[in-house]
Protein backbone atom coordinates (compact mmCIF):
# COMPACT_ATOMS: atom_id res chain seq x y z
CA UNK A 1 0.00 0.00 0.00
CA UNK A 2 1.28 3.48 -0.96
CA UNK A 3 0.13 6.51 1.03
CA UNK A 4 0.08 9.71 -1.04
CA UNK A 5 -0.11 13.04 0.83
CA UNK A 6 -1.20 16.23 -0.98
CA UNK A 7 -3.20 13.98 -3.27
CA UNK A 8 -5.73 16.64 -4.26
CA UNK A 9 -3.04 19.06 -5.46
CA UNK A 10 -1.78 19.74 -8.98
CA UNK A 11 0.85 16.94 -9.01
CA UNK A 12 -1.08 14.65 -6.64
CA UNK A 13 -4.11 14.20 -8.90
CA UNK A 14 -1.90 13.26 -11.87
CA UNK A 15 0.13 10.89 -9.73
CA UNK A 16 -3.03 9.17 -8.49
CA UNK A 17 -4.28 8.71 -12.05
CA UNK A 18 -0.98 7.08 -13.04
CA UNK A 19 -0.67 4.88 -9.94
CA UNK A 20 -4.24 3.64 -10.27
CA UNK A 21 -3.76 2.99 -14.04
CA UNK A 22 -0.72 0.87 -13.13
CA UNK A 23 -2.67 -1.04 -10.49
CA UNK A 24 -0.83 0.13 -7.36
CA UNK A 25 -2.91 -0.07 -4.17
CA UNK A 26 -3.09 3.55 -3.01
CA UNK A 27 -4.39 5.40 0.02
CA UNK A 28 -4.68 9.15 -0.21
CA UNK A 29 -4.30 11.65 2.56
CA UNK A 30 -6.38 14.76 2.00
CA UNK A 31 -7.71 17.44 4.30
CA UNK A 32 -10.52 19.04 2.31
CA UNK A 33 -14.01 17.62 2.26
CA UNK A 34 -14.83 18.82 -1.26
CA UNK A 35 -12.66 16.76 -3.62
CA UNK A 36 -13.11 13.41 -1.89
CA UNK A 37 -15.58 12.03 -4.44
CA UNK A 38 -13.30 12.73 -7.42
CA UNK A 39 -10.30 11.19 -5.69
CA UNK A 40 -12.22 8.15 -4.50
CA UNK A 41 -12.67 7.12 -8.13
CA UNK A 42 -8.88 7.10 -8.57
CA UNK A 43 -7.83 5.57 -5.28
CA UNK A 44 -10.14 3.39 -3.27
CA UNK A 45 -8.97 4.42 0.17
CA UNK A 46 -9.20 7.93 1.35
CA UNK A 47 -8.11 9.37 4.70
CA UNK A 48 -8.91 12.85 5.89
CA UNK A 49 -6.13 14.35 7.95
CA UNK A 50 -4.08 17.51 8.19
CA UNK A 51 -0.35 16.96 8.46
CA UNK A 52 -0.58 18.38 11.95
CA UNK A 53 -3.06 15.79 13.25
CA UNK A 54 -0.92 13.09 14.87
CA UNK A 55 -3.80 10.75 15.72
CA UNK A 56 -5.28 10.55 12.24
CA UNK A 57 -1.83 10.35 10.64
CA UNK A 58 -1.26 7.27 12.76
CA UNK A 59 -4.41 5.56 11.51
CA UNK A 60 -3.67 6.61 7.90
CA UNK A 61 -0.34 4.72 8.14
CA UNK A 62 -1.90 1.34 8.97
CA UNK A 63 -0.64 -1.24 6.46
CA UNK A 64 1.32 1.36 4.47
CA UNK A 65 4.62 0.21 2.94
CA UNK A 66 5.66 3.38 1.12
CA UNK A 67 4.80 7.06 1.46
CA UNK A 68 4.91 9.65 -1.32
CA UNK A 69 4.87 12.97 0.50
CA UNK A 70 3.60 15.78 -1.75
CA UNK A 71 1.61 17.91 0.72
CA UNK A 72 2.81 21.49 0.75
CA UNK A 73 1.78 25.12 0.32
CA UNK A 74 3.07 27.95 -1.88
CA UNK A 75 1.69 30.78 0.24
CA UNK A 76 1.23 31.30 3.94
CA UNK A 77 -2.11 32.14 5.56
CA UNK A 78 -3.29 33.17 9.01
CA UNK A 79 -3.75 29.50 9.90
CA UNK A 80 -0.73 27.92 8.20
CA UNK A 81 2.91 28.91 7.68
CA UNK A 82 5.65 27.30 5.57
CA UNK A 83 7.22 26.22 8.85
CA UNK A 84 4.10 24.40 10.13
CA UNK A 85 3.26 22.81 6.77
CA UNK A 86 6.70 21.72 5.58
CA UNK A 87 8.84 21.41 8.71
CA UNK A 88 6.46 20.44 11.51
CA UNK A 89 4.06 18.58 9.20
CA UNK A 90 6.84 16.48 7.69
CA UNK A 91 8.23 15.80 11.18
CA UNK A 92 4.84 14.44 12.34
CA UNK A 93 4.44 12.38 9.19
CA UNK A 94 7.90 10.84 9.66
CA UNK A 95 7.09 9.99 13.27
CA UNK A 96 3.89 8.21 12.20
CA UNK A 97 5.76 6.43 9.37
CA UNK A 98 8.45 5.27 11.79
CA UNK A 99 5.90 3.90 14.22
CA UNK A 100 4.13 2.07 11.37
CA UNK A 101 7.51 0.66 10.17
CA UNK A 102 7.04 2.09 6.67
CA UNK A 103 9.58 0.59 4.24
CA UNK A 104 10.38 3.71 2.16
CA UNK A 105 9.50 7.41 2.02
CA UNK A 106 9.67 9.61 -1.09
CA UNK A 107 9.65 13.32 -0.27
CA UNK A 108 9.04 15.92 -2.96
CA UNK A 109 11.08 18.91 -1.89
CA UNK A 110 12.25 21.66 -4.24
CA UNK A 111 15.28 22.38 -6.38
CA UNK A 112 17.89 24.43 -4.54
CA UNK A 113 16.47 23.72 -1.07
CA UNK A 114 18.71 25.69 1.30
CA UNK A 115 18.47 26.85 4.94
CA UNK A 116 18.74 30.51 3.84
CA UNK A 117 16.16 32.71 5.61
CA UNK A 118 15.88 35.01 2.57
CA UNK A 119 13.81 32.30 0.84
CA UNK A 120 11.12 31.28 3.36
CA UNK A 121 9.47 28.64 1.15
CA UNK A 122 12.74 27.04 0.07
CA UNK A 123 14.11 27.11 3.64
CA UNK A 124 11.04 25.31 5.00
CA UNK A 125 11.36 22.62 2.32
CA UNK A 126 15.01 22.16 3.38
CA UNK A 127 13.89 21.77 7.01
CA UNK A 128 11.34 19.19 5.80
CA UNK A 129 14.18 17.35 4.03
CA UNK A 130 16.13 17.31 7.30
CA UNK A 131 13.15 15.64 9.03
CA UNK A 132 13.19 12.95 6.34
CA UNK A 133 17.00 12.51 6.40
CA UNK A 134 17.03 12.23 10.21
CA UNK A 135 13.96 9.98 10.45
CA UNK A 136 15.91 6.73 10.42
CA UNK A 137 13.66 5.59 7.55
CA UNK A 138 14.75 4.55 4.07
CA UNK A 139 14.11 7.59 1.84
CA UNK A 140 14.49 9.29 -1.53
CA UNK A 141 14.23 13.07 -1.77
CA UNK A 142 13.28 14.54 -5.15
CA UNK A 143 13.97 18.20 -5.80
CA UNK A 144 11.99 19.42 -8.82
CA UNK A 145 12.31 22.84 -10.40
CA UNK A 146 9.05 24.64 -11.24
CA UNK A 147 6.55 22.10 -12.52
CA UNK A 148 4.30 22.86 -15.50
CA UNK A 149 1.15 21.19 -16.74
CA UNK A 150 -2.60 21.60 -16.75
CA UNK A 151 -3.63 23.63 -13.66
CA UNK A 152 -0.04 24.43 -12.64
CA UNK A 153 1.06 27.29 -10.40
CA UNK A 154 2.98 29.46 -12.85
CA UNK A 155 1.90 29.14 -16.51
CA UNK A 156 -1.81 28.99 -15.75
CA UNK A 157 -1.85 32.12 -13.51
CA UNK A 158 0.50 33.91 -15.92
CA UNK A 159 -1.92 33.24 -18.77
CA UNK A 160 -4.80 34.59 -16.67
CA UNK A 161 -2.81 37.71 -15.78
CA UNK A 162 -1.82 38.40 -19.38
CA UNK A 163 -5.40 38.02 -20.47
CA UNK A 164 -6.68 40.50 -17.90
CA UNK A 165 -3.89 43.06 -17.39
CA UNK A 166 -2.85 45.83 -19.79
CA UNK A 167 0.82 45.19 -18.88
CA UNK A 168 3.15 42.20 -18.65
CA UNK A 169 4.91 42.54 -15.28
CA UNK A 170 8.40 41.02 -15.02
CA UNK A 171 10.04 40.69 -11.58
CA UNK A 172 13.69 41.69 -11.33
CA UNK A 173 15.96 43.87 -13.46
CA UNK A 174 18.34 40.91 -13.88
CA UNK A 175 16.85 37.92 -15.73
CA UNK A 176 15.37 35.31 -13.34
CA UNK A 177 16.05 31.75 -14.47
CA UNK A 178 14.29 28.44 -14.05
CA UNK A 179 14.31 24.98 -15.66
CA UNK A 180 10.68 23.85 -15.73
CA UNK A 181 9.80 20.16 -15.50
CA UNK A 182 6.62 18.67 -16.98
CA UNK A 183 4.27 17.23 -14.33
CA UNK A 184 3.91 14.01 -16.33
CA UNK A 185 7.70 13.55 -16.14
CA UNK A 186 7.78 14.21 -12.38
CA UNK A 187 5.06 11.57 -12.03
CA UNK A 188 7.20 9.13 -14.07
CA UNK A 189 10.14 9.75 -11.70
CA UNK A 190 7.91 9.19 -8.67
CA UNK A 191 6.53 5.93 -10.06
CA UNK A 192 9.99 4.68 -10.94
CA UNK A 193 11.17 5.54 -7.43
CA UNK A 194 8.42 3.55 -5.71
CA UNK A 195 9.04 0.69 -8.11
CA UNK A 196 12.54 0.61 -6.63
CA UNK A 197 14.61 1.69 -9.62
CA UNK A 198 16.47 4.51 -7.86
CA UNK A 199 19.18 4.31 -5.20
CA UNK A 200 17.87 4.84 -1.69
CA UNK A 201 19.15 7.61 0.56
CA UNK A 202 19.67 9.96 -2.38
CA UNK A 203 18.60 13.57 -2.90
CA UNK A 204 17.96 14.04 -6.61
CA UNK A 205 17.66 17.32 -8.54
CA UNK A 206 15.01 17.15 -11.27
CA UNK A 207 14.44 19.68 -14.04
CA UNK A 208 13.47 19.92 -17.68
CA UNK A 209 15.81 19.97 -20.68
CA UNK A 210 15.93 23.76 -21.09
CA UNK A 211 16.59 26.80 -18.94
CA UNK A 212 14.25 29.74 -19.42
CA UNK A 213 13.99 33.27 -18.07
CA UNK A 214 10.83 34.75 -16.58
CA UNK A 215 10.77 37.23 -19.45
CA UNK A 216 11.26 34.39 -21.97
CA UNK A 217 8.22 32.59 -20.55
CA UNK A 218 6.18 35.81 -20.72
CA UNK A 219 7.20 36.16 -24.41
CA UNK A 220 6.25 32.53 -25.06
CA UNK A 221 2.84 32.94 -23.46
CA UNK A 222 2.23 36.29 -25.18
CA UNK A 223 3.04 34.71 -28.57
CA UNK A 224 0.65 31.85 -27.89
CA UNK A 225 -2.13 34.21 -26.78
CA UNK A 226 -1.32 36.64 -29.59
CA UNK A 227 -1.13 39.32 -26.89
CA UNK A 228 1.31 42.20 -27.16
CA UNK A 229 1.22 43.66 -23.64
CA UNK A 230 4.03 46.16 -22.98
CA UNK A 231 6.54 44.76 -20.49
CA UNK A 232 7.12 46.48 -17.13
CA UNK A 233 10.18 45.48 -15.07
CA UNK A 234 9.54 45.47 -11.31
CA UNK A 235 12.38 45.66 -8.77
CA UNK A 236 12.49 42.36 -6.85
CA UNK A 237 11.57 43.80 -3.41
CA UNK A 238 8.51 45.47 -4.95
CA UNK A 239 7.54 42.25 -6.78
CA UNK A 240 7.90 40.28 -3.52
CA UNK A 241 5.74 42.77 -1.58
CA UNK A 242 3.08 42.88 -4.32
CA UNK A 243 3.04 39.05 -4.35
CA UNK A 244 2.54 38.96 -0.56
CA UNK A 245 -0.33 41.44 -0.77
CA UNK A 246 -2.06 39.78 -3.73
CA UNK A 247 -1.84 36.29 -2.27
CA UNK A 248 -3.56 37.54 0.90
CA UNK A 249 -6.54 39.00 -0.96
CA UNK A 250 -6.93 36.86 -4.09
CA UNK A 251 -8.14 33.28 -4.32
CA UNK A 252 -5.91 32.63 -7.37
CA UNK A 253 -3.10 35.19 -7.32
CA UNK A 254 -0.89 35.67 -10.41
CA UNK A 255 2.23 34.74 -8.42
CA UNK A 256 2.78 33.10 -5.02
CA UNK A 257 5.72 33.50 -2.62
CA UNK A 258 6.81 29.88 -3.10
CA UNK A 259 6.88 30.20 -6.88
CA UNK A 260 8.68 33.57 -6.74
CA UNK A 261 11.27 32.01 -4.37
CA UNK A 262 12.13 29.43 -7.03
CA UNK A 263 12.61 32.13 -9.67
CA UNK A 264 14.67 34.33 -7.32
CA UNK A 265 16.85 31.42 -6.30
CA UNK A 266 17.36 30.33 -9.91
CA UNK A 267 16.00 26.79 -9.70
CA UNK A 268 18.30 25.30 -12.33
CA UNK A 269 20.55 22.26 -12.57
CA UNK A 270 22.26 20.26 -15.33
CA UNK A 271 20.19 19.86 -18.50
CA UNK A 272 20.41 16.06 -18.35
CA UNK A 273 19.44 15.69 -14.66
CA UNK A 274 16.39 13.50 -15.38
CA UNK A 275 18.19 11.48 -18.07
CA UNK A 276 21.03 10.74 -15.65
CA UNK A 277 18.88 9.80 -12.68
CA UNK A 278 15.95 8.09 -14.43
CA UNK A 279 17.14 7.29 -17.95
CA UNK A 280 14.62 9.23 -20.04
CA UNK A 281 14.44 12.62 -21.75
CA UNK A 282 11.87 14.99 -20.17
CA UNK A 283 9.52 17.16 -22.21
CA UNK A 284 10.64 20.73 -23.01
CA UNK A 285 8.34 23.57 -21.93
CA UNK A 286 8.30 24.97 -25.46
CA UNK A 287 6.86 21.69 -26.80
CA UNK A 288 3.95 21.66 -24.38
CA UNK A 289 3.10 25.32 -24.01
CA UNK A 290 0.93 25.38 -27.13
CA UNK A 291 -1.30 22.58 -25.83
CA UNK A 292 -1.49 24.06 -22.36
CA UNK A 293 -2.46 27.53 -23.48
CA UNK A 294 -4.36 26.80 -26.66
CA UNK A 295 -7.84 28.24 -26.90
CA UNK A 296 -9.04 24.70 -27.71
CA UNK A 297 -8.22 23.95 -24.07
CA UNK A 298 -11.00 21.50 -23.43
CA UNK A 299 -11.46 20.04 -26.91
CA UNK A 300 -11.89 16.24 -26.93
CA UNK A 301 -8.78 15.88 -29.16
CA UNK A 302 -6.60 17.75 -26.69
CA UNK A 303 -8.12 15.98 -23.69
CA UNK A 304 -7.47 12.57 -25.17
CA UNK A 305 -3.85 13.51 -25.94
CA UNK A 306 -3.31 14.61 -22.32
CA UNK A 307 -5.02 11.53 -20.93
CA UNK A 308 -2.89 9.27 -23.11
CA UNK A 309 0.32 10.92 -21.95
CA UNK A 310 -0.63 10.77 -18.32
CA UNK A 311 -1.61 7.14 -18.30
CA UNK A 312 0.74 5.60 -20.87
CA UNK A 313 3.97 5.73 -18.88
CA UNK A 314 5.48 7.43 -21.91
CA UNK A 315 8.65 8.32 -20.06
CA UNK A 316 9.35 5.14 -18.13
N1 LIG B 1 4.29 22.74 -8.56
C1 LIG B 1 5.56 23.16 -8.58
O1 LIG B 1 5.97 23.97 -9.43
C2 LIG B 1 6.52 22.60 -7.56
C3 LIG B 1 7.89 22.94 -7.66
C4 LIG B 1 8.78 22.46 -6.71
C5 LIG B 1 8.32 21.65 -5.68
N2 LIG B 1 7.00 21.35 -5.61
C6 LIG B 1 6.51 20.53 -4.49
O2 LIG B 1 5.76 19.45 -4.99
C7 LIG B 1 4.70 19.14 -4.10
C8 LIG B 1 3.38 19.08 -4.87
O3 LIG B 1 3.20 20.32 -5.53
P1 LIG B 1 1.79 20.76 -6.13
O4 LIG B 1 2.08 21.74 -7.19
O5 LIG B 1 0.96 19.57 -6.43
O6 LIG B 1 1.18 21.53 -4.88
P2 LIG B 1 -0.36 21.93 -4.65
O7 LIG B 1 -1.11 21.93 -5.93
O8 LIG B 1 -0.34 23.20 -3.87
O9 LIG B 1 -0.93 20.75 -3.76
C9 LIG B 1 -0.44 20.54 -2.49
C10 LIG B 1 -1.45 19.70 -1.72
O10 LIG B 1 -0.99 19.53 -0.37
C11 LIG B 1 -2.08 19.72 0.51
N3 LIG B 1 -1.62 20.19 1.82
C12 LIG B 1 -0.93 21.31 2.07
N4 LIG B 1 -0.71 21.44 3.40
C13 LIG B 1 -1.31 20.37 3.98
C14 LIG B 1 -1.47 19.94 5.31
N5 LIG B 1 -0.97 20.66 6.34
N6 LIG B 1 -2.12 18.79 5.56
C15 LIG B 1 -2.65 18.06 4.55
N7 LIG B 1 -2.56 18.42 3.25
C16 LIG B 1 -1.89 19.56 2.97
C17 LIG B 1 -2.92 20.78 -0.17
O11 LIG B 1 -4.22 20.72 0.36
P3 LIG B 1 -5.21 21.99 0.25
O12 LIG B 1 -5.74 21.93 -1.16
O13 LIG B 1 -6.22 21.70 1.29
O14 LIG B 1 -4.40 23.22 0.50
C18 LIG B 1 -2.82 20.37 -1.63
O15 LIG B 1 -3.79 19.41 -1.94
C19 LIG B 1 4.68 20.23 -3.02
O16 LIG B 1 5.28 19.73 -1.86
C20 LIG B 1 5.54 21.33 -3.62
O17 LIG B 1 6.24 22.07 -2.62
C21 LIG B 1 6.08 21.78 -6.53
Amino acid sequence: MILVTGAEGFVGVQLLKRLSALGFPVRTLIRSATTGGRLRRMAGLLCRSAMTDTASLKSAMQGVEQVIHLAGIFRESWKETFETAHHEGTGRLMQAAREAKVRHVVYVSTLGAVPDRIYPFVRSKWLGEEEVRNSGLSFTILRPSLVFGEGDHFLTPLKRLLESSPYAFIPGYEPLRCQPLWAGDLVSCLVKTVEGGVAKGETIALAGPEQVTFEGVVDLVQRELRAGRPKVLLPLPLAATATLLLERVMGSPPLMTGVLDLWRLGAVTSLDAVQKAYGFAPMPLSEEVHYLLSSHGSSPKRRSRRERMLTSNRSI
Side-chain angles (χ1 to χ4, degrees), residues 34-284:
T34 50
T35 47
R38 180 171 60 129
L39 290 185
R40 202 180 295 278
R41 284 193 290 279
M42 291 186 253
L45 295 160
L46 204 138
C47 286
R48 265 183 238 298
S49 169
M51 300 289 301
T52 41
D53 181 349
T54 311
S56 43
L57 281 182
K58 201 170 171 175
S59 69
M61 283 294 173
Q62 307 245 327
V64 168
E65 291 185 321
Q66 301 200 64
V67 174
I68 302 181
H69 179 25
L70 292 172
I73 54 172
F74 284 99
R75 57 172 155 170
E76 298 185 312
S77 67
W78 60 270
K79 54 179 180 179
E80 191 168 41
T81 63
F82 291 136
E83 166 71 20
T84 55
H86 300 150
H87 184 195
E88 293 172 19
T90 304
R92 287 205 177 87
L93 187 74
M94 290 307 103
Q95 190 190 332
R98 208 169 28 242
E99 283 168 12
K101 299 196 169 35
V102 162
R103 188 162 55 77
H104 193 70
V105 173
V106 185
Y107 178 45
V108 179
S109 176
T110 187
L111 193 56
V114 280
D116 195 332
R117 285 180 192 279
I118 299 174
Y119 308 104
F121 167 80
V122 167
R123 173 182 158 79
S124 67
K125 295 295 281 189
W126 181 83
L127 290 168
E129 285 189 1
E130 285 290 281
E131 291 292 339
V132 176
R133 276 190 282 270
N134 298 326
S135 65
L137 292 160
S138 162
F139 71 87
T140 307
I141 295 172
L142 301 187
R143 288 179 164 180
S145 184
L146 266 184
V147 184
F148 66 92
E150 216 145 350
D152 64 15
H153 300 298
F154 89 107
L155 271 185
T156 312
L158 184 60
K159 175 183 181 238
R160 259 197 324 267
L161 180 71
L162 288 171
E163 282 171 337
S164 60
S165 158
Y167 299 105
F169 294 102
I170 298 178
Y173 291 135
E174 297 294 321
L176 302 182
R177 280 180 195 286
C178 219
Q179 199 175 327
L181 177 69
W182 183 50
D185 289 329
L186 174 56
V187 166
S188 295
C189 296
L190 286 165
V191 170
K192 203 159 182 170
T193 306
V194 293
E195 281 175 336
V198 171
K200 297 185 167 125
E202 281 194 26
T203 299
I204 301 167
L206 294 176
E210 58 193 2
Q211 293 183 0
V212 295
T213 62
F214 196 103
E215 187 171 1
V217 176
V218 167
D219 290 340
L220 205 62
V221 176
Q222 294 237 69
R223 260 201 309 280
E224 198 53 51
L225 299 177
R226 298 201 174 88
R229 308 277 188 268
K231 291 185 241 177
V232 178
L233 299 186
L234 290 182
L236 266 180
L238 179 59
T241 308
T243 301
L244 265 178
L245 286 175
L246 289 177
E247 66 187 9
R248 290 286 148 87
V249 296
M250 292 176 75
S252 307
L255 199 57
M256 292 187 281
T257 298
V259 174
L260 184 60
D261 258 15
L262 292 186
W263 281 106
R264 286 163 65 212
L265 188 75
V268 296
T269 182
S270 66
L271 296 180
D272 60 353
V274 170
Q275 181 78 53
K276 266 196 192 143
Y278 286 94
F280 70 85
M283 171 124 68

